[in-house]
Amino acid sequence: MRLKKDQKAQAILQAAIKMFAEKGYHQTKITEIADTANVAHGTVYTYFKNKEDLLYNMISKLWQELSLTLEEISNNANLDPLQKVQKMVDAVFDVFTSDSRLGLVVIKEHNQLRKKGMDASVGEYEHLLNSFSHTFEQGVAEGFFDPTIDPDTFLHFVFGGLSQLIHRWANDPRSLNIQKVKEQSKYFVQQSLIKG
Amino acid sequence: MRLKKDQKAQAILQAAIKMFAEKGYHQTKITEIADTANVAHGTVYTYFKNKEDLLYNMISKLWQELSLTLEEISNNANLDPLQKVQKMVDAVFDVFTSDSRLGLVVIKEHNQLRKKGMDASVGEYEHLLNSFSHTFEQGVAEGFFDPTIDPDTFLHFVFGGLSQLIHRWANDPRSLNIQKVKEQSKYFVQQSLIKG
Amino acid sequence: MRLKKDQKAQAILQAAIKMFAEKGYHQTKITEIADTANVAHGTVYTYFKNKEDLLYNMISKLWQELSLTLEEISNNANLDPLQKVQKMVDAVFDVFTSDSRLGLVVIKEHNQLRKKGMDASVGEYEHLLNSFSHTFEQGVAEGFFDPTIDPDTFLHFVFGGLSQLIHRWANDPRSLNIQKVKEQSKYFVQQSLIKG
Amino acid sequence: MRLKKDQKAQAILQAAIKMFAEKGYHQTKITEIADTANVAHGTVYTYFKNKEDLLYNMISKLWQELSLTLEEISNNANLDPLQKVQKMVDAVFDVFTSDSRLGLVVIKEHNQLRKKGMDASVGEYEHLLNSFSHTFEQGVAEGFFDPTIDPDTFLHFVFGGLSQLIHRWANDPRSLNIQKVKEQSKYFVQQSLIKG
DNA sequence: TATGAATGAGGATTCATTCAT
DNA sequence: AATGAATGAATCCTCATTCAT
């Protein structure tokens, strides 16, 4: 029973991801999500508070996943700071491209939540920032990274860059070779970080 | 008469920029724009076809401006490729921060048009891409830039990074020192481009 | 459930007939129809695509009814051609006066649909025409009717005449004795048809 | 100056007739009429009180013309009652088909005015009715016409029949031979009127 | 008189959400 | 839990009419 319940919620969430990615949040009707999930539209409200809650759920899910992964990387004693940063970039790509539609939704509609002060990512984002900052400081202390770089600025810059690339790719996967893009991105990051 | 007409259209456009930046496209009512511009809501339709046309106008205006500036930089024979790229980054910051609200709208709502195939920027964006690609190739030929870099990927990456930073700043100007951010951005770009 | 559903649709349709007859199609607001039917205005759109669809439904319903009746008369072997025509006139009166308001709407607003190419009646009208033409030809063949009459012209003439009378009556039932009008009409038709 | 003024009013009225006939009253915008008449749309209000006044003008104009003609026929001592009626039918056809578009407007949009109690035709229609009634009574008195006929009913019947035929013809002039239709109509009228 | 920018009343339609079954 | 009929707030856009120039 418990399992079944989750399955239906999952089906609805997946349907919402699909539709939000294809048509955008505002252009997607609850009815379309319900149809895609093969349930009555009233059922959506059994599992989710409202339309925005669907968005909240999928976005925070991805953020949590990413935040957790970055933390693990940050705490991995077997990696040097540069390796950690490289792995972090990999992780961002992996999370966003594992479900390209979900990634697209997060990138496209994240502002939607921000406006309403429902920003689920605030907490997760700080978490993520901390993981990176920690790694960056470690890198500076160990003489790997350029100490004149502001980690906050750098993080936003890189995150923006990766988002843009992933967004392009998700919209038209054939226009970009995602593996090459990933390698190039890691290279940009490395070049920017290491001491000139 | 002609001047007056343009003035009213400008007032409405400015009001729309203000409201779209503050509340987002979908959350802004035509009535609010009209109120802000001190005209009756019907007047909006005297100057603009519909709500989306307002967005189209402001976005394409900024894109055109940027596209033109980048082309000029690209064609400036007095600058070496690295200087050109630095100036291009400056130009992006300048355009997007000259009217922080307009910049915010463009970054936030650009997808809105993309969906409808009204993407005014497609043409301008290609133009912009060409200006950069040209400069990049020149830089490679003259031995300044790393030839393994894909200019397309790099451009998207940098553009994404800059967008993200500007977006953060425009939402809360006190959270970031825009001049420092600009300098840092140029540094990242330079580090990524020049031969390791 | 099925029954209930139809009942509500019927209530809305009846309300629309009432309002369209009283105020005309363009002067009637959806809200008025909904109020008259004691439902929320949104409910109208649960059962009908839009305002025009309401008109379409009521008009095509009456046309179908009439078309069917005329066909039955036409095929009735127990009647001679003149009797058939007389019965046809009766049928027109009966259909249009059974719900005087519906009749009024059909006569008043039929053009509304015609403009949009939604003319449901085109098919039914041809059907009706055929029933009459068939009867007319039979009448000519059997020597009852004047062969110099063009059945098409005659049909339009009679239909126009009946419409006008019914229209007058429906607008102000006390101004005309509908039974007398019916008898007179049948007399005109008979006089026009039979051989001079 | 006086002439010029009338010319402009005429141009606007003609434009309105054209547009109302083509698109119907509600579907025609003042701007379209003004464009067709090659004046600014504000100018329409210099010559006509409002949109409905345009309709009123064209309709009452035609009614007056017809009313006058019928009166002349009615008073013509050189014609017997049957000849008068025949001429009256001719007159109806002539008036309505002289400007087929105006005829169409009158037939299509006459109700529009009736609703608002602006029925310009009330006076003229009574006039017209009187002309016919007078002729009919003369015909009965002189033994030409069937005294059991109610002239009111007959008039409405005939007027409806003629309207319908003219309407069909005006909408698609090639579908009906108007001269034949006229002759047939006169025949129907004659057959209905004369003593069985 | 002529113009056309400005007005704003007016109304159709959508769709997220509720709730009786 | 599941359904989907019912709701009505929300808002865009139209266009007849006015009036300052």
Side-chain angles (χ1 to χ4, degrees):
Chain A
M1 197 65 178
R2 173 103 190 110
L3 198 72
K4 243 186 174 168
K5 200 175 152 185
D6 278 0
Q7 277 173 355
K8 195 158 281 191
Q10 277 310 307
I12 293 167
L13 198 60
Q14 288 305 317
I17 291 171
K18 183 176 190 296
M19 298 315 295
F20 286 170
E22 279 174 17
K23 312 183 65 177
Y25 177 79
H26 280 104
Q27 280 65 42
T28 299
K29 294 172 224 167
I30 287 286
T31 303
E32 291 174 317
I33 294 170
D35 286 352
T36 304
N38 275 314
V39 295
H41 67 269
T43 306
V44 173
Y45 292 88
T46 305
Y47 296 97
F48 300 91
K49 216 175 117 238
N50 51 33
K51 193 181 174 185
E52 208 165 40
D53 190 41
L54 276 165
L55 190 61
Y56 174 86
N57 264 274
M58 67 184 75
I59 289 185
S60 62
K61 181 187 150 195
L62 186 139
W63 278 121
Q64 275 172 29
E65 201 176 320
L66 184 57
S67 173
L68 209 66
T69 308
L70 293 201
E71 194 183 13
E72 279 171 11
I73 294 168
S74 173
N75 293 335
N76 188 333
N78 297 323
L79 303 168
D80 69 39
L82 187 57
Q83 286 174 317
K84 284 182 183 177
V85 171
Q86 303 282 34
K87 284 225 175 291
M88 284 174 170
V89 173
D90 276 336
V92 171
F93 269 98
D94 291 350
V95 159
F96 277 90
T97 58
S98 66
D99 182 346
S100 71
R101 289 188 298 213
L102 175 54
L104 204 54
V105 173
V106 172
I107 291 168
K108 269 167 137 172
E109 311 292 354
H110 186 238
N111 289 325
Q112 188 57 28
L113 296 181
R114 192 165 273 271
K115 285 167 205 158
K116 302 281 177 99
M118 287 180 64
D119 198 348
S121 66
V122 167
E124 304 299 342
Y125 199 73
E126 301 239 328
H127 207 196
L128 184 156
L129 192 86
N130 285 339
S131 298
F132 180 80
S133 291
H134 190 254
T135 298
F136 178 77
E137 277 158 27
Q138 186 195 355
V140 171
E142 296 179 13
F144 282 91
F145 298 158
D146 185 334
T148 65
I149 293 172
D150 174 48
D152 223 54
T153 303
F154 185 69
L155 179 62
H156 291 321
F157 183 82
V158 170
F159 184 68
L162 301 185
S163 294
Q164 185 71 213
L165 288 168
I166 291 163
H167 188 238
R168 293 263 153 190
W169 168 77
N171 263 325
D172 182 8
R174 278 166 306 188
S175 68
L176 293 173
N177 177 329
I178 194 69
Q179 286 308 325
K180 274 196 187 169
V181 164
K182 199 204 256 191
E183 294 311 314
Q184 291 256 316
S185 298
K186 291 198 295 197
Y187 178 71
F188 301 151
V189 169
Q190 172 195 296
Q191 290 299 95
S192 299
L193 275 178
I194 58 175
K195 276 186 172 166
Chain B
M1 201 67 175
R2 173 103 190 114
L3 198 70
K4 244 185 177 169
K5 211 174 145 181
D6 277 2
Q7 277 173 353
K8 190 151 288 191
Q10 276 311 308
I12 293 167
L13 199 59
Q14 287 306 318
I17 290 171
K18 181 175 189 299
M19 298 315 297
F20 286 172
E22 279 174 18
K23 312 184 63 178
Y25 177 80
H26 280 104
Q27 281 66 40
T28 300
K29 288 168 246 173
I30 287 286
T31 303
E32 290 175 318
I33 294 170
D35 286 352
T36 304
N38 275 314
V39 296
H41 72 266
T43 306
V44 173
Y45 293 91
T46 305
Y47 295 96
F48 301 92
K49 221 174 114 242
N50 50 35
K51 196 179 170 184
E52 206 166 40
D53 191 40
L54 276 164
L55 189 62
Y56 175 86
N57 264 274
M58 64 184 77
I59 290 185
S60 62
K61 181 186 149 195
L62 185 140
W63 277 119
Q64 276 172 28
E65 203 177 317
L66 184 58
S67 174
L68 209 67
T69 307
L70 293 201
E71 194 183 14
E72 279 170 12
I73 294 168
S74 174
N75 293 335
N76 188 334
N78 297 321
L79 303 169
D80 70 38
L82 188 57
Q83 287 174 316
K84 284 182 183 176
V85 170
Q86 303 281 31
K87 283 220 177 292
M88 284 175 171
V89 173
D90 277 336
V92 171
F93 270 97
D94 291 349
V95 160
F96 276 90
T97 59
S98 67
D99 181 347
S100 70
R101 290 186 300 214
L102 175 54
L104 202 55
V105 173
V106 172
I107 291 169
K108 269 167 133 173
E109 311 290 355
H110 185 239
N111 288 325
Q112 186 58 28
L113 296 181
R114 196 164 266 270
K115 283 169 208 158
K116 304 280 177 99
M118 288 177 62
D119 199 349
S121 68
V122 167
E124 302 300 342
Y125 198 75
E126 302 242 325
H127 206 197
L128 182 156
L129 192 85
N130 286 339
S131 297
F132 179 80
S133 293
H134 191 253
T135 299
F136 178 78
E137 278 158 27
Q138 185 194 355
V140 171
E142 296 179 13
F144 282 91
F145 297 159
D146 184 336
T148 65
I149 293 172
D150 174 47
D152 226 54
T153 302
F154 186 70
L155 179 63
H156 291 321
F157 183 83
V158 170
F159 186 69
L162 301 184
S163 294
Q164 185 70 215
L165 288 168
I166 292 163
H167 187 235
R168 294 267 156 186
W169 168 77
N171 262 326
D172 182 9
R174 278 166 305 186
S175 70
L176 293 173
N177 178 328
I178 193 71
Q179 285 309 322
K180 273 196 186 170
V181 165
K182 199 204 257 190
E183 293 313 314
Q184 291 257 315
S185 298
K186 290 200 293 199
Y187 178 70
F188 301 151
V189 169
Q190 173 194 296
Q191 290 299 96
S192 300
L193 275 178
I194 59 176
K195 276 186 172 164
Chain C
M1 201 68 175
R2 174 100 191 116
L3 199 71
K4 245 185 174 167
K5 212 175 145 183
D6 275 3
Q7 277 173 354
K8 190 151 289 189
Q10 277 311 307
I12 292 167
L13 199 59
Q14 287 306 318
I17 289 170
K18 182 175 190 294
M19 298 315 297
F20 286 171
E22 280 174 17
K23 311 184 63 175
Y25 177 78
H26 281 104
Q27 280 66 38
T28 300
K29 289 168 245 174
I30 287 288
T31 302
E32 290 174 318
I33 295 170
D35 286 351
T36 304
N38 274 314
V39 295
H41 71 266
T43 305
V44 173
Y45 292 89
T46 304
Y47 296 96
F48 300 91
K49 219 174 117 244
N50 51 34
K51 196 180 171 185
E52 207 166 40
D53 191 41
L54 277 164
L55 189 61
Y56 175 87
N57 264 275
M58 64 184 77
I59 290 185
S60 62
K61 181 186 150 194
L62 185 141
W63 277 119
Q64 276 172 29
E65 203 177 318
L66 183 57
S67 173
L68 209 67
T69 307
L70 294 201
E71 195 183 13
E72 279 171 12
I73 295 168
S74 173
N75 293 335
N76 188 335
N78 297 322
L79 303 169
D80 70 38
L82 187 57
Q83 287 173 315
K84 283 183 183 176
V85 170
Q86 304 281 34
K87 283 221 175 289
M88 284 176 173
V89 173
D90 277 335
V92 171
F93 270 97
D94 291 349
V95 158
F96 277 90
T97 59
S98 66
D99 180 349
S100 71
R101 289 188 299 215
L102 175 54
L104 202 54
V105 173
V106 172
I107 291 168
K108 269 167 135 174
E109 312 292 353
H110 186 239
N111 288 326
Q112 187 58 28
L113 296 181
R114 196 164 267 272
K115 283 168 207 158
K116 302 281 177 98
M118 288 178 62
D119 199 349
S121 69
V122 167
E124 303 299 341
Y125 198 75
E126 302 242 325
H127 206 198
L128 184 156
L129 194 85
N130 286 340
S131 297
F132 179 81
S133 292
H134 190 252
T135 298
F136 179 78
E137 277 158 28
Q138 185 195 355
V140 171
E142 297 179 13
F144 284 90
F145 298 158
D146 186 333
T148 65
I149 293 173
D150 173 48
D152 224 54
T153 302
F154 185 69
L155 179 62
H156 291 320
F157 183 83
V158 170
F159 185 69
L162 300 185
S163 294
Q164 185 70 215
L165 288 168
I166 292 164
H167 188 234
R168 294 265 156 188
W169 168 77
N171 262 325
D172 181 9
R174 279 165 306 187
S175 69
L176 294 173
N177 178 328
I178 194 68
Q179 286 309 323
K180 274 198 185 168
V181 165
K182 200 204 256 191
E183 295 311 315
Q184 291 258 315
S185 298
K186 290 199 292 198
Y187 178 71
F188 301 151
V189 169
Q190 172 195 296
Q191 290 299 96
S192 299
L193 275 178
I194 58 175
K195 276 187 173 165
Chain D
M1 198 64 177
R2 173 102 190 110
L3 198 71
K4 243 186 176 169
K5 200 174 152 185
D6 277 0
Q7 278 174 352
K8 193 156 285 192
Q10 276 310 306
I12 292 167
L13 199 59
Q14 287 306 317
I17 290 171
K18 182 177 191 295
M19 298 316 297
F20 287 170
E22 280 174 16
K23 312 183 63 176
Y25 177 79
H26 280 105
Q27 280 67 41
T28 300
K29 294 170 225 171
I30 288 286
T31 303
E32 291 175 317
I33 294 170
D35 286 352
T36 304
N38 274 315
V39 296
H41 67 266
T43 307
V44 173
Y45 292 87
T46 306
Y47 297 96
F48 300 92
K49 216 175 116 239
N50 51 34
K51 194 180 173 184
E52 207 164 42
D53 190 42
L54 276 165
L55 190 61
Y56 175 88
N57 264 275
M58 65 184 76
I59 289 184
S60 64
K61 182 187 149 194
L62 185 140
W63 278 120
Q64 276 171 29
E65 203 177 318
L66 184 58
S67 173
L68 210 66
T69 309
L70 293 202
E71 194 182 13
E72 279 171 13
I73 294 168
S74 173
N75 294 335
N76 188 333
N78 297 323
L79 302 169
D80 70 37
L82 188 57
Q83 286 174 317
K84 285 182 183 176
V85 171
Q86 302 281 34
K87 283 224 176 290
M88 284 176 173
V89 172
D90 276 336
V92 171
F93 269 98
D94 291 348
V95 159
F96 277 92
T97 59
S98 67
D99 182 346
S100 71
R101 289 189 298 215
L102 175 54
L104 204 53
V105 172
V106 172
I107 291 168
K108 269 170 137 172
E109 311 292 352
H110 186 239
N111 289 325
Q112 188 57 30
L113 297 180
R114 192 166 273 270
K115 285 168 208 159
K116 302 279 178 101
M118 287 179 63
D119 197 348
S121 67
V122 167
E124 303 299 343
Y125 199 75
E126 302 240 326
H127 207 194
L128 184 155
L129 193 84
N130 286 339
S131 298
F132 180 81
S133 291
H134 191 252
T135 298
F136 179 76
E137 278 158 25
Q138 185 196 355
V140 171
E142 296 178 14
F144 282 91
F145 298 157
D146 186 334
T148 65
I149 292 173
D150 173 49
D152 222 54
T153 302
F154 185 70
L155 179 62
H156 292 321
F157 184 83
V158 171
F159 183 68
L162 300 185
S163 293
Q164 185 72 214
L165 288 167
I166 292 163
H167 188 237
R168 294 263 155 189
W169 168 78
N171 263 324
D172 182 8
R174 278 165 306 187
S175 69
L176 294 173
N177 178 328
I178 194 70
Q179 286 308 322
K180 273 196 186 169
V181 165
K182 201 203 256 190
E183 295 311 315
Q184 291 258 316
S185 298
K186 291 198 296 198
Y187 178 70
F188 303 150
V189 169
Q190 172 194 294
Q191 290 298 97
S192 299
L193 276 177
I194 58 175
K195 275 187 174 167

